[in-house]
Amino acid sequence: MTTVLLMGPPGAGKGTHAGHLAAHLGVPVISTGDLFRRNIADGTELGKTAQGYLDAGEYVPDEVTNAMVRDRLADAEARPGFVLDGYPRTLDQARVLDEILGAQGRSLDAALVLQVEAETLVDRLLRRAEIEHRSDDTEEVIRRRFEVYHEQTAPLIHFYSGRGIHHEVDASDDIDTVRTRVWQVAVQLKPAA
Ligand SMILES: Nc1ncnc2c1ncn2[C@@H]1O[C@H](COP(=O)(O)OP(=O)(O)O)[C@@H](O)[C@H]1O
Ligand SMILES: [Mg+2]
């Protein structure tokens, strides 16, 4: 079983590499951003709650996000492990995640932080805006998302480094190069059976 999370600023490539890594490990990706977007597209109550926050570049309240992730982690699908993309993003979420996993008799193996300099991130997000038309990929909202990341999520790096499960990955190069780096970290976690 491998339980990993990917952290990093908006545009760092969390979604891309969470997908690759999960496929390698044979476990599901749990992406809070994707779950919110799917709920918005489906017009669910959860989606209605989340929409305003996403459009403003703010975080959805912890109790809403934590409840959604709690459900996902209880699924049979997540029993062999998981790759978390975009969760936890606050200290409260990190503590709740510990609680959920502890109650299941497991814990987090690794927190991977994807590192990319700010200029590259803005370029990537503006390019993605042209392709995906995400409502939160406008210049103004992107700026706010960076602020929120630095205020609320960057402190989590200390939370996980204090526990010795934090790994930095240089994510500024092309996708294949970064994928190899991510995989090198994952391989160290679990020696081949
Ligand atoms: N763990 C979370 N807590 C609160 N809000 C979240 C969380 N994950 C995603 N969101 C909401 O969804 C938006 C988009 O998330 P995501 O797709 O993961 O962005 P990115 O991958 O570009 O960082 C966030 O700006 C936020 O509004
Ligand atoms: Mg994403």
Side-chain angles (χ1 to χ4, degrees):
M1 182 176 60
T2 311
T3 58
V4 178
L5 64 86
L6 290 189
M7 286 176 57
K14 296 184 293 295
T16 302
H17 295 292
H20 290 159
L21 181 57
H24 263 302
L25 297 170
V27 299
V29 176
I30 299 174
S31 163
T32 43
D34 287 350
L35 289 170
F36 287 133
R37 279 186 288 275
R38 197 169 321 141
N39 275 279
I40 290 170
D42 292 347
T44 68
E45 281 307 310
L46 176 63
K48 283 177 199 153
T49 304
Q51 175 133 47
Y53 295 101
L54 265 78
D55 287 348
E58 303 293 335
Y59 287 165
V60 176
D62 284 336
E63 60 273 19
V64 175
T65 310
N66 286 333
M68 183 176 78
V69 172
R70 193 182 286 276
D71 278 355
R72 281 291 153 149
L73 288 172
D75 283 350
E77 202 199 13
R79 225 172 279 152
F82 52 79
V83 176
L84 280 168
D85 161 14
Y87 182 94
R89 266 179 153 98
T90 66
L91 214 42
D92 175 74
Q93 292 179 10
R95 294 198 179 106
V96 168
L97 176 63
D98 280 347
E99 232 175 76
I100 298 170
L101 294 178
Q104 296 176 337
R106 54 185 179 172
S107 62
L108 204 58
D109 295 326
L112 272 63
V113 184
L114 301 181
Q115 310 264 23
V116 183
E117 65 281 6
E119 257 173 67
T120 308
L121 293 172
V122 176
D123 283 352
R124 286 185 187 176
L125 290 169
L126 292 175
R127 213 174 325 129
R128 179 170 81 184
E130 289 171 15
I131 302 164
E132 290 183 22
H133 305 292
R134 263 176 56 164
S135 57
D136 59 348
D137 278 346
T138 65
E139 243 178 297
E140 193 194 342
V141 178
I142 288 171
R143 208 173 314 123
R144 180 62 193 148
R145 286 163 61 207
F146 281 128
E147 282 173 14
V148 174
Y149 176 81
H150 287 294
E151 283 163 17
Q152 303 206 42
T153 305
L156 284 188
I157 296 172
H158 299 283
F159 181 84
Y160 290 118
S161 63
R163 210 193 286 178
I165 60 167
H166 142 269
H167 304 261
E168 311 247 318
V169 177
D170 176 359
S172 56
D173 296 299
D174 61 276
I175 290 176
D176 282 347
T177 304
V178 177
R179 173 169 38 193
T180 304
R181 287 182 188 141
V182 168
W183 186 235
Q184 277 163 354
V185 173
V187 161
Q188 287 167 18
L189 298 174
K190 295 278 145 154

